[in-house]
Amino acid sequence: MRINRTLLSVSLVVVALVIQVSVLARLQLPGATPDLVLLVVLGLAFVYGPVSGALIGFGAGLLADLAPPADHAAGRYALVLCLIGYIAGMARPEKGQLKSAFTPMAFVVAAAIGSTLLYAGVGALVGDTAARHVGLGSLLFTAAVYDLLLAPFTVPLIMALARRTENDPVADSSAGGDVAAGWLATGTGLRIGSQRGGMRLRAARSRAARAGRIKGVKRL
């Protein structure tokens, strides 16, 4: 990932994790806790694509695994968010811009339910049966409702910030091209090849004009 992507992703994940642990987790809401970290991963993956979404999801999940008061094995939530980030990146809208609110909101609900199921499934494999005592059905319903209510205030903002890093002229292009060429192409809306072709055409016309004037002088 490019430097600006990394800085923005780390900043948003850390802020979301701090808010989730220090504020949302202390609200004592029935059922699940609103998953702000999940929404950050979704918003970034919608713009950056599957590979970056998987990397961001893994890093965010690992931080959540290590942040207190986590009482489960490290890497459990990292695996869940890695998969969610990759799938969300595969479903990203064209040019990272939303044309309808239905698709991302539906994906938020699916991600909330899917992450809860995956988390509970991985826990069952390692012998953690806490989800059974709380009630898996209640967790799924409340997780979907809380994340759906929180998504309109977070996901569009995160996507807007992510698009700004994509359009940053200082950032390196993903293909490893020239920074100055990328800045010119982005800033003017023209391709560098078209600019060079136009300069060559103007030079050829000027040479033809000079040749015409010289021939006219000789004829006189």
Side-chain angles (χ1 to χ4, degrees):
M1 291 192 299
R2 295 182 291 183
I3 295 178
N4 284 353
R5 281 189 181 187
T6 304
L7 292 177
L8 177 65
S9 302
V10 171
S11 301
L12 291 177
V13 167
V14 170
V15 171
L17 184 59
V18 170
I19 295 175
Q20 182 167 320
V21 172
S22 61
V23 178
L24 298 179
R26 297 185 179 184
L27 294 178
Q28 300 297 326
L29 296 174
T33 300
D35 199 341
L36 187 58
V37 176
L38 173 65
L39 297 179
V40 169
V41 172
L42 290 178
L44 294 175
F46 281 149
V47 178
Y48 293 154
V51 176
S52 297
L55 293 175
I56 295 170
F58 180 81
L62 189 60
L63 287 177
D65 287 331
L66 299 176
D71 55 355
H72 55 268
R76 181 174 166 185
Y77 200 47
L79 174 62
V80 172
L81 287 188
C82 180
L83 295 175
I84 295 295
Y86 183 82
I87 297 173
M90 294 289 291
R92 67 174 174 174
E94 184 180 359
K95 297 181 181 180
Q97 296 182 354
L98 297 176
K99 296 181 180 180
S100 173
F102 175 77
T103 300
M105 292 302 103
F107 204 93
V108 167
V109 174
I113 296 175
S115 62
T116 304
L117 288 175
L118 286 173
Y119 186 81
V122 174
L125 292 177
V126 298
D128 185 359
T129 59
R132 297 180 182 177
H133 302 292
V134 177
L136 185 59
S138 175
L139 286 177
L140 293 175
F141 177 76
T142 54
V145 171
Y146 295 155
D147 291 350
L148 185 61
L149 292 176
L150 193 59
F153 304 100
T154 55
V155 175
L157 176 61
I158 293 168
M159 293 184 66
L161 293 174
R163 285 196 298 268
R164 288 180 64 88
T165 62
E166 290 293 274
N167 298 327
D168 192 346
V170 181
D172 298 332
S173 64
S174 58
D178 185 16
V179 174
W183 183 82
L184 288 173
T186 304
T188 61
L190 300 176
R191 295 182 178 178
I192 302 302
S194 300
Q195 293 177 345
R196 291 176 179 174
M199 293 174 63
R200 291 175 182 174
L201 181 60
R202 287 195 295 270
R205 288 178 178 175
S206 63
R207 287 196 297 268
R210 287 198 300 270
R213 287 197 297 270
I214 291 174
K215 289 182 181 179
V217 171
K218 288 182 178 180
R219 289 175 182 176
L220 292 175

